[in-house]
Amino acid sequence: QVQLVESGGGLVQAGGSLRLSCAASRRTCSSSSCAMGWFRQAPGKEREFVAAINWSGDTTYYGASVKGRFTISRDNAKNTVYLQMNSLKPEDTATYYCAARTMVAAATQDEQYYYWGQGTHVTVSS
C-alpha cells in the first residue's frame, strides 16, 4: 500500500506563489519506479489534471491552465514530488491531490493512477 502525504497548501494572494510537497512511502512505491501526478478539484467541478512527472524526472506534462506557471519536480532521494505554483490566480483555488502509479511513465488521466493522497487545499484571494 502506498501512502501519499501532501503539504504546503494555504491562503495566498493572486500573483503569489506556493510550493506543494507530496511524500510517498517506500513500502510499495519506491522512488525509482513510481510516476507521480498532481490533480485538483474545485467545489462543484470535476477533477482536473495539473501536472505529471515520470520516475526519472526528465519527462513532465502540464494541464493547459497551468502551463508556464506551475513546475513539477521530484527528489527521489526523499521520495518526494513538488509542485511549484507561481503567478497564482483565484481560479487556481482548489483541493490539490497527489497521485502515484507504479509505472515509470507519467500519465495525464486520473484513472491511470492507483494511489491518492488526502489532498491539500489552496485558496487564492483576489
Side-chain angles (χ1 to χ4, degrees):
Q1 185 72 21
V2 174
Q3 290 185 325
L4 303 173
V5 179
E6 303 102 331
S7 61
L11 174 64
V12 63
Q13 289 188 331
S17 298
L18 279 176
R19 188 176 81 156
L20 305 184
S21 299
C22 173
S25 65
R26 288 181 176 272
R27 181 170 299 176
T28 302
C29 186
S30 69
S31 60
S32 62
S33 62
C34 268
M36 307 287 289
W38 287 97
F39 292 78
R40 68 186 182 186
Q41 189 166 21
K45 295 187 177 181
E46 294 187 353
R47 188 158 54 190
E48 176 188 14
F49 168 70
V50 176
I53 189 166
N54 70 339
W55 72 271
S56 62
D58 59 3
T59 299
T60 57
Y61 301 105
Y62 295 94
S65 61
V66 306
K67 197 168 187 179
R69 299 188 297 122
F70 291 10
T71 302
I72 189 171
S73 62
R74 66 189 301 158
D75 183 342
N76 287 344
K78 297 181 179 179
N79 288 332
T80 300
V81 64
Y82 305 97
L83 184 68
Q84 178 66 44
M85 306 186 295
N86 298 329
S87 302
L88 283 161
K89 305 175 181 180
E91 51 264 43
D92 294 318
T93 296
T95 299
Y96 284 71
Y97 297 92
C98 175
R101 62 200 300 257
T102 51
M103 298 181 73
V104 298
T108 62
Q109 303 299 313
D110 56 2
E111 61 264 25
Q112 295 174 296
Y113 287 86
Y114 312 134
Y115 306 104
W116 293 83
Q118 293 299 308
T120 185
H121 193 68
V122 172
T123 300
V124 184
S125 63
S126 57

